[in-house]
Amino acid sequence: MRVSTRAPSGDCKDVTSASCPVTRHNGHVTDRRPPWALAGVLAGLAGLATSYAAAMVLTIRESPVVAVAEMVIRLTPGEAAERAISVLGHFDKPALVIGILLILLALFALAGRLAEKGFWQPMVVWFALAGLGLGAVLAQRSAGLADSLPVLIGLVTWVTAHSALNDALRRERRRPDLESRERRVFVMVAGAISLAAVGIAAGGRVVGAGRRHVEASRRLLRIPGVTRRQAPVATSVDLAGIAPWQTPNEDFYLIDTTLAKPTIEPQDWALRIHGLVDRELVLTYSDLVERELTESWITLNCVSNEVGGGLVGNARWSGVRLADLLADLGVSDQADAVLQTSHDGWFCATPLAALTDDRDAMLAVAMNGRPLPIEHGFPVRTIVPGLYGYVSATKWVVDMEVTTFETAVGYWTTKGWSAEGPVKIASRIDVPRSGDDVEVGDVQIGGVAWHQHTGIEAVEVQVDGREWERAELGEVPSVDTWVQWKVTVDVPEGDHTVRVRAIGKDGATQTDVVRAPDPDGSTGLHAIEISAS
Ligand SMILES: Nc1nc2c(c(=O)[nH]1)N[C@H]1C(S)=C(S)[C@@H](COP(=O)(O)O)O[C@H]1N2
Ligand SMILES: [Mo]
């Protein structure tokens, strides 16, 4: 008896053609669509699994799917979001994530079906989805490049797994007579990919659980007198668009050489102080917080910051003064440096004088009244007012050797950056933004200026080649923080350049000589272009 050659959908003469969904041999009709769609779904799930595992292992942030969900929430108009939340109750976020996963499954299947048509068709789906994931991940607060890795790893997995499965399917199509054996190849490849994906996701979860545990200890940690809110002690300059005087932890810039941030439980942390001291010390976390705690507003900045750049922030740091600690241990006269090492193996050499003079160099345990965020060095980091981070601000610090600059070098010093890193005076225009159109007449210009441990005496602004005009400064608690400033200038019609310069409390004016950050910090004046009409 002849079996109908009518396909479940459509009819085709050449059952081996790429567009034919039906194969016919030995009198059987087999719909080929499910394997193609299945290949797409399996490959997509494998991609999701590795991206999830990568997110767990590399960062403490959410996986790309959750990032997309959060972006959807952010982009949903308030009213619609509220209605959805009231309908779905507390399940709004899981419901959203499940919804996104279902849409993803459909798109994975679509990519699978498109792969049957040719090599490049599924690419549209691959890259559109990866693009969306990247967009969502990078739109998160204080996202860094590392945050895009899970999406990229997921994409590579998806494409590789999909190609392997499609190869198996194509071979099958070329040799319809070998169907059952080749099917086995497909089943084996699919099985291997599924197993690997489950294994990787589970592995990521285990590693991630360790991270979440440290995050939980961190959140529950209360340090008497330290973990509390406190209003900034500075008077803010009233001009929208200037960086807030106190930088929220989530917005604080991040610089380090490690991809997977160290996760250290406070009870597992210890700092060894040794070298040219009379008495060595191994300090535990409870030893540390039982000592007298200080707090201080300190602006931290990175030597790599370009003129006008954002690698600078100001926070209230709480911790133990290093000067007191080192005095207790008795430091040898020969020493002039402290070689600091972090849990992740990063190291820097810090001028001893900056750790023993009257400034508030400290082993910090809290930032803005919260235990240090993991990525900012939890549970303990060093903060030294007046020095760039690369020679001083060791996150996850576990070792301090009192030594000399003759023998000690830091990680960045070995790469050609200068050994001692005193911060340079700098100023930045935050409003208006370069390229803005403004109205002719009075224009308010504002921003921040800093010269930690020297202090800012004045800030001046210049429109084109005119006279320098003095700005009004916010009041600050000490010379260790940045200062907000603003000034109203008269701007005639046309295009203009506005420049800013700071004058330190030592009387020195910020130089206009342009230098790159390498080897000891950028110099030059920040300038913006505006157009008045
Ligand atoms: N363990 C460790 N600590 C580190 C670094 C690093 O790479 N690893 N980078 C330093 C540099 S170059 C800077 S500018 C500051 C940045 O601190 P933040 O990420 O908390 O802003 O940390 C410093 N401490
Ligand atoms: Mo830095």
Side-chain angles (χ1 to χ4, degrees), residues 298-299 359 384-388 421-424 451-454 480:
I298 299 167
T299 295
R359 78 187 84 190
V384 184
L387 300 182
Y388 286 120
V423 298
K424 292 179 175 169
H451 195 189
Q452 297 92 304
H453 213 58
T454 299
D480 292 335

Side-chain angles (χ1 to χ4, degrees), residues 106-127:
L107 289 172
F108 293 157
L110 174 70
R113 293 282 296 279
L114 289 174
E116 187 184 9
K117 298 214 166 63
F119 175 72
W120 60 270
Q121 274 97 330
M123 278 196 216
V124 178
V125 182
W126 294 341
F127 293 117

Side-chain angles (χ1 to χ4, degrees), residues 12 15 25 51 65 156 189 221 246 287 298 337 348-349 368 378 428 431 447 513 532:
C12 33
V15 292
H25 49 90
S51 76
V65 173
V156 169
V189 174
L221 192 63
Q246 173 179 18
D287 294 342
I298 299 167
C348 72
N368 288 326
F378 184 77
R428 187 180 80 196
V431 240
V513 175

Side-chain angles (χ1 to χ4, degrees), residues 96-437:
L96 188 57
V97 170
I98 289 168
I100 289 173
L101 283 174
L102 289 178
I103 294 172
L104 281 176
L105 285 182
L107 289 172
F108 293 157
L110 174 70
R113 293 282 296 279
L114 289 174
E116 187 184 9
K117 298 214 166 63
F119 175 72
W120 60 270
Q121 274 97 330
M123 278 196 216
V124 178
V125 182
W126 294 341
F127 293 117
L129 266 189
L132 183 71
L134 275 184
V137 160
L138 294 178
Q140 295 179 119
R141 289 183 108 189
S142 65
L145 270 188
D147 294 285
S148 61
L149 272 178
V151 175
L152 298 178
I153 289 171
L155 176 67
V156 169
T157 315
W158 182 14
V159 171
T160 315
H162 205 178
S163 308
L165 288 166
N166 287 339
D167 280 352
L169 284 175
R170 284 219 172 77
R171 255 188 293 164
E172 177 198 332
R173 188 163 62 191
R174 258 182 265 123
R175 305 284 305 275
D177 51 313
L178 288 182
E179 193 200 349
S180 61
R181 210 193 80 200
E182 295 295 346
R183 266 280 153 88
R184 236 177 286 141
V185 172
F186 174 77
V187 169
M188 271 161 54
V189 174
I193 288 175
S194 311
L195 269 181
V198 169
I200 288 170
R205 227 192 132 66
V206 171
V207 175
R211 263 157 216 285
R212 273 195 303 278
H213 198 269
V214 172
E215 181 53 30
S217 332
R218 175 189 166 263
R219 235 179 337 202
L220 293 174
L221 192 63
R222 298 280 177 276
I223 309 163
V226 169
T227 39
R228 62 188 169 80
R229 284 185 188 284
Q230 191 201 295
V233 290
T235 56
S236 269
V237 161
D238 181 24
L239 178 57
I242 301 186
W245 184 76
Q246 173 179 18
T247 311
N249 290 355
E250 314 80 71
D251 296 341
F252 211 96
Y253 79 94
L254 270 176
I255 298 277
D256 52 63
T257 55
T258 172
L259 265 183
K261 311 293 172 231
T263 42
I264 311 166
E265 297 281 357
Q267 71 263 25
D268 296 336
W269 178 88
L271 169 68
R272 178 166 169 246
I273 307 179
H274 58 112
L276 300 172
V277 283
D278 299 338
R279 181 167 75 81
E280 264 193 45
L281 178 70
V282 175
L283 197 69
T284 66
Y285 191 78
S286 49
D287 294 342
L288 186 69
V289 293
E290 273 160 25
R291 292 184 68 102
E292 191 191 333
L293 293 161
T294 344
E295 64 177 34
S296 201
W297 291 91
I298 299 167
T299 295
L300 175 65
N301 59 334
C302 181
V303 68
S304 316
N305 200 29
E306 304 274 353
V307 170
L311 300 179
V312 52
N314 183 48
R316 174 166 60 93
W317 305 92
S318 315
V320 170
R321 290 194 69 235
L322 272 158
D324 303 342
L325 197 56
L326 289 170
D328 284 357
L329 302 187
V331 171
S332 152
D333 294 343
Q334 296 147 33
D336 65 1
V338 172
L339 180 63
Q340 306 187 51
T341 309
S342 69
H343 188 270
D344 59 314
W346 185 83
F347 52 99
C348 72
T350 311
L352 177 66
L355 303 180
T356 50
D357 65 14
D358 61 350
R359 78 187 84 190
D360 276 337
M362 66 169 94
L363 289 170
V365 293
M367 179 177 184
N368 288 326
R370 308 280 307 140
L372 290 177
I374 290 178
E375 61 272 28
H376 288 290
F378 184 77
V380 183
R381 79 174 302 174
T382 313
I383 289 288
V384 184
L387 300 182
Y388 286 120
Y390 82 107
V391 290
S392 66
T394 313
K395 305 195 267 190
W396 317 287
V397 61
V398 291
D399 193 280
M400 285 188 167
E401 181 189 354
V402 179
T403 176
T404 63
F405 270 112
E406 227 164 64
T407 56
V409 280
Y411 177 89
W412 287 111
T413 315
T414 60
K415 300 197 175 339
W417 295 77
S418 70
E420 302 197 18
V423 298
K424 292 179 175 169
I425 189 169
S427 52
R428 187 180 80 196
I429 303 173
D430 288 345
V431 240
R433 297 264 155 208
S434 199
D436 276 1
D437 294 326

Side-chain angles (χ1 to χ4, degrees), residues 483-507:
V483 179
Q484 294 177 313
W485 58 266
K486 76 167 177 186
V487 62
T488 305
V489 293
D490 178 51
V491 180
E493 190 168 346
D495 295 340
H496 306 280
T497 303
V498 182
R499 302 201 295 168
V500 63
R501 71 180 182 192
I503 295 143
K505 283 203 188 294
D506 57 357

